Amino acid sequence: MVSDQLIQLDAGYENVVAVCPKCTVRNVYNRADDIGHFNPIANGRVACADCGAAFTIGGDLVNAAHEMLLLDSNDFLREKRYVQAVLSATTAYEVFFNHFLLVELVFRPLNRDRVNTRDIDQIAWLNDTSALLRDKISKFTFEPMRRTFLRFAIERIAVGTVAQAEACINTISKRPKRVERATVAHHTDERLRTLLLRLYDSDIAELRNNIVHKTAYRPTRSETRSVVEDATYTIANLTNHFGLGNVNYHLNE
């Protein structure tokens, strides 16, 4: 008989893994197809693909998407799946940029301005402004996203109201200009300056492009480790600096 104990899952961005307590088979459950949602799994009922036994899984991560992608990237590195490690780390950067803009230009302005807006207006504004931001950056590849992030990170434009947020989003160019390295190097916050320069100098996008275009380049461990470790350090510290958590956290902060 299978006990009702909670089985600890091994969490990834796309899948979760759990060992069946009856037959000890390692089961992989896809969040989209097998779990059916992308919320953290605290008490999910699943069935073993081998013996059919039902059991409960939990202990999922509540990290932001970019953090989970970085965890996957480091797992791929350990498994010598270097192509996937580079792709995941590069995607983590792009997701981080998007997350930063969403928090700084949508969630936080709304929370600061709640006193001036009714609940029904808040929901409408949240949907409309999220759509406006999405329209502005939907076609951005890595470099336009990096340029847009650097601009906002350096200028730290004060967005205290929903009106200011909309105006700020409308300033995002469809073709963002390159931020000069000297501009980054003269930032007054030493800690942030160091992180932004690391981001500015990162060549992970070039490595990713070599992998996905034409030649299907296969990177070495040294190349992969360099960009994955740099991405992990840079993104983790920028996340801490700007206080960026899971989207659900920012909806209620």
Side-chain angles (χ1 to χ4, degrees):
M1 179 177 178
V2 179
S3 70
D4 290 330
Q5 72 182 78
L6 186 70
I7 304 302
Q8 178 72 35
L9 58 79
D10 182 10
Y13 179 71
E14 187 176 15
N15 301 320
V16 297
V17 178
V19 176
C20 174
K22 180 179 180 181
C23 69
T24 69
V25 164
R26 179 179 180 272
N27 289 267
V28 179
Y29 301 102
N30 181 267
R31 292 184 186 271
D33 289 336
D34 302 316
I35 304 300
H37 64 80
F38 301 107
N39 298 320
I41 303 167
N43 194 19
R45 198 71 173 166
V46 295
C48 177
D50 191 65
C51 72
F55 57 99
T56 304
I57 58 175
D60 202 357
L61 298 176
V62 294
N63 300 64
H66 61 272
E67 294 174 317
M68 296 188 71
L69 286 164
L70 285 174
L71 292 173
D72 281 354
S73 183
N74 281 276
D75 286 341
F76 292 142
L77 176 60
R78 284 189 289 271
E79 296 166 3
K80 299 184 180 182
R81 298 171 63 186
Y82 302 143
V83 165
Q84 291 302 319
V86 173
L87 297 182
S88 185
T90 312
T91 303
Y93 266 121
E94 294 176 338
V95 173
F96 167 76
F97 298 148
N98 180 81
H99 185 62
F100 169 85
L101 294 173
L102 190 61
V103 170
E104 289 291 313
L105 300 180
V106 180
F107 293 141
R108 282 178 173 159
L110 178 60
N111 286 326
R112 293 174 186 134
D113 208 23
R114 282 189 190 278
V115 68
N116 297 317
T117 53
R118 298 176 303 167
D119 288 348
I120 189 170
D121 294 329
Q122 291 172 14
I123 296 172
W125 185 88
L126 180 66
N127 292 334
D128 291 346
T129 311
S130 297
L132 175 63
L133 177 62
R134 186 164 55 249
D135 177 67
K136 282 283 188 177
I137 64 176
S138 62
K139 295 182 180 179
F140 282 6
T141 55
F142 181 94
E143 187 53 33
M145 286 296 287
R146 174 162 57 179
R147 292 178 181 184
T148 302
F149 167 77
L150 284 171
R151 176 200 157 201
F152 280 100
I154 291 171
E155 295 179 5
R156 288 298 282 167
I157 300 171
V159 183
T161 67
V162 295
Q164 290 172 345
E166 286 184 29
C168 210
I169 292 172
N170 280 315
T171 67
I172 297 176
S173 172
K174 291 289 185 179
R175 294 184 178 180
K177 294 181 179 179
R178 183 170 66 90
V179 177
E180 296 297 330
R181 194 178 190 281
T183 302
V184 181
H186 284 95
H187 197 280
T188 56
D189 185 322
E190 182 179 358
R191 174 65 173 164
L192 179 58
R193 179 174 69 241
T194 300
L195 294 171
L196 295 180
L197 285 173
R198 287 181 71 122
L199 170 62
Y200 193 97
D201 294 334
S202 173
D203 59 358
I204 191 172
E206 287 77 7
L207 181 57
R208 189 269 305 273
N209 289 343
N210 287 338
I211 291 171
V212 299
H213 296 308
K214 299 184 178 77
T215 60
Y217 179 70
R218 285 172 285 198
T220 65
R221 174 175 177 77
S222 177
E223 289 175 306
T224 307
R225 182 177 178 180
S226 175
V227 296
V228 168
E229 289 184 349
D230 184 63
T232 300
Y233 179 88
T234 304
I235 296 176
N237 282 279
L238 285 172
T239 296
N240 290 334
H241 181 88
F242 291 109
L244 302 176
N246 187 287
V247 166
N248 292 326
Y249 167 80
H250 293 293
L251 282 170
N252 301 292
E253 68 176 325

